[in-house]
Amino acid sequence: MTDSRRPAASRTRPVAFRRIRADHQTELAEDYVELIADLLDERGEARGTDIAKRLGVSNATVVKTLRRLQENRLIHQEPYRSVFLTDVGRKMANEGRRRHKIVERLLVALGVKPEIARIDAEGLEHHVSAHTLDAMKRFLKQGVRKT
Amino acid sequence: MTDSRRPAASRTRPVAFRRIRADHQTELAEDYVELIADLLDERGEARGTDIAKRLGVSNATVVKTLRRLQENRLIHQEPYRSVFLTDVGRKMANEGRRRHKIVERLLVALGVKPEIARIDAEGLEHHVSAHTLDAMKRFLKQGVRKT
DNA sequence: TCCAGATTTTAGCATTGGCTAAACTTTTGT
DNA sequence: ACAAAAGTTTAGCCAATGCTAAAATCTGGA
Ligand SMILES: [Mn+2]
Ligand SMILES: [Mn+2]
Ligand SMILES: [Mn+2]
Ligand SMILES: [Mn+2]
């Protein structure tokens, strides 16, 4: 029953699960900076309240998370003022957007309804490795052969 | 700048983010029951230690999580004995496996290396809606047209 | 049988992400 | 100019997921 080409589950699975736990650690930060970048583009400023509204979360929660993002040098903020991205934060936002767009376009290419693609992509994006993202890009570019 | 066919971000984004938070709530439970089902199939019993090993997590963590899964009627266990799935748990495991396989096969079909597909699928599976899963299934079945 | 080593559970702690209600600032309208 | 309204932060709570170290239980030889 053991497939010699496939390494034992006891060895391979922990790798996957560790990756997921790592992904989840950065996931929230990624969504925040991306959202902040969007707000800055759309309206020139990103207030905590706007972030809360878009995330569907309470104001207090946002305040707490922003504090941590500031400690991690992803954003800059002063009391009662709106939020800005540091260079690191902006870079993270741009990478996030890029991934996000590719995943969403891939779903649409597969025949997923645009509204649903938007929603699913928001969760999927954080778990797509660089290699998988490349494969998606290739698929989107060159139509596709496939058996 | 506003696209009339696309609803305002302030209305649509919270939907997506709420979905993600919901997904994350069930994610761990899904991985546990799937893993337990695997162990039961492979070796007839699922010990906490085996689960810990495959998840790459400490024994104590597993004990605590299993207690919660038992409260939620997904598993059954007795002290110092191995773990079994309830009907509900088994059903969840089967659905999980189905989704998991489809996602993994889709990635491979896109040209992702099998080892990487395995890893990425473990995180992606929980964020795929029924509709998207159908699209993936269709794609896998019928080659694909695509522009 | 019985105890030493292996296994499993418990205790206690930390971090993250969420909430509501209260306190504090800032803004606005008269 | 200043009080009411609006907006923001703080305080204090909870649940989930992780950890290590200690206690408890089980088990396989001698
Ligand atoms: Mn995103
Ligand atoms: Mn996201
Ligand atoms: Mn799975
Ligand atoms: Mn999984």
Side-chain angles (χ1 to χ4, degrees):
Chain A
M1 201 52 77
T2 307
D3 182 342
S4 63
R5 281 161 310 184
R6 182 164 293 220
S10 42
R11 219 167 336 127
T12 59
R13 308 311 302 283
V15 175
F17 288 117
R18 272 187 239 273
R19 236 280 303 283
I20 290 176
R21 289 194 296 272
D23 290 346
H24 283 161
Q25 280 239 307
T26 41
E27 180 162 347
L28 197 76
E30 286 173 2
D31 282 337
Y32 267 73
V33 295
E34 204 184 324
L35 203 44
I36 290 165
D38 289 350
L39 289 165
L40 289 173
D41 286 356
E42 283 172 33
R43 48 178 77 170
E45 65 169 356
R47 282 148 62 236
T49 310
D50 302 329
I51 299 171
K53 225 164 272 164
R54 294 229 179 155
L55 288 175
V57 117
S58 84
N59 233 287
T61 297
V62 168
V63 170
K64 199 185 288 188
T65 304
L66 288 178
R67 185 157 30 244
R68 192 153 29 85
L69 296 185
Q70 170 136 267
E71 276 157 20
N72 298 347
R73 318 280 161 175
L74 291 170
I75 65 163
H76 174 72
Q77 68 178 338
E78 282 173 66
Y80 297 95
R81 294 258 95 79
S82 63
V83 182
F84 298 95
L85 294 173
T86 62
D87 288 355
V88 180
R90 199 173 0 259
K91 201 165 138 211
M92 183 185 272
N94 289 337
E95 282 164 13
R97 278 168 163 179
R98 177 174 151 272
R99 266 186 345 202
H100 199 137
K101 258 181 275 183
I102 293 172
V103 172
E104 188 173 335
R105 279 171 44 215
L106 176 88
L107 292 182
V108 172
L110 291 178
V112 176
K113 287 194 217 144
E115 320 86 81
I116 297 189
R118 264 182 93 66
I119 295 174
D120 284 18
E122 191 60 73
L124 294 172
E125 55 166 345
H126 310 277
H127 300 283
V128 172
S129 66
H131 174 255
T132 295
L133 202 66
D134 278 354
M136 290 180 173
K137 247 189 327 192
R138 270 197 307 279
F139 174 83
L140 285 169
K141 194 165 294 172
Q142 44 136 253
V144 115
R145 357 83 280 191
K146 172 90 171 51
T147 30
Chain B
M1 200 51 80
T2 310
D3 182 343
S4 62
R5 282 162 309 182
R6 182 164 292 218
S10 43
R11 221 167 335 127
T12 58
R13 309 312 303 285
V15 175
F17 289 118
R18 272 187 239 273
R19 235 284 301 283
I20 290 175
R21 289 194 295 274
D23 289 347
H24 283 161
Q25 279 239 306
T26 41
E27 180 162 344
L28 196 75
E30 286 172 3
D31 283 337
Y32 266 74
V33 294
E34 203 184 324
L35 202 46
I36 291 165
D38 288 350
L39 288 165
L40 289 172
D41 287 357
E42 283 171 32
R43 48 178 78 171
E45 67 169 354
R47 282 148 63 237
T49 309
D50 302 329
I51 298 171
K53 225 164 271 165
R54 292 228 181 156
L55 288 175
V57 118
S58 84
N59 232 288
T61 297
V62 169
V63 170
K64 200 185 288 188
T65 304
L66 288 178
R67 182 151 38 237
R68 190 155 29 86
L69 296 184
Q70 170 136 269
E71 277 158 20
N72 298 347
R73 318 278 160 175
L74 291 170
I75 64 162
H76 175 73
Q77 69 179 334
E78 282 174 67
Y80 296 96
R81 294 259 96 80
S82 63
V83 182
F84 297 94
L85 294 173
T86 62
D87 288 355
V88 180
R90 197 169 7 253
K91 202 166 137 209
M92 182 185 272
N94 289 336
E95 282 164 14
R97 278 168 164 178
R98 178 176 150 269
R99 268 187 345 202
H100 199 137
K101 257 181 274 182
I102 293 172
V103 172
E104 188 173 335
R105 278 172 43 216
L106 176 88
L107 292 181
V108 172
L110 291 177
V112 176
K113 284 193 220 144
E115 319 87 81
I116 297 189
R118 263 182 94 66
I119 294 174
D120 284 16
E122 191 59 75
L124 295 172
E125 54 167 349
H126 311 278
H127 299 284
V128 172
S129 66
H131 175 254
T132 295
L133 203 66
D134 278 355
M136 291 179 171
K137 245 189 327 191
R138 270 197 307 280
F139 174 82
L140 286 169
K141 194 167 295 173
Q142 43 135 258
V144 114
R145 1 78 281 184
K146 171 87 173 53
T147 30

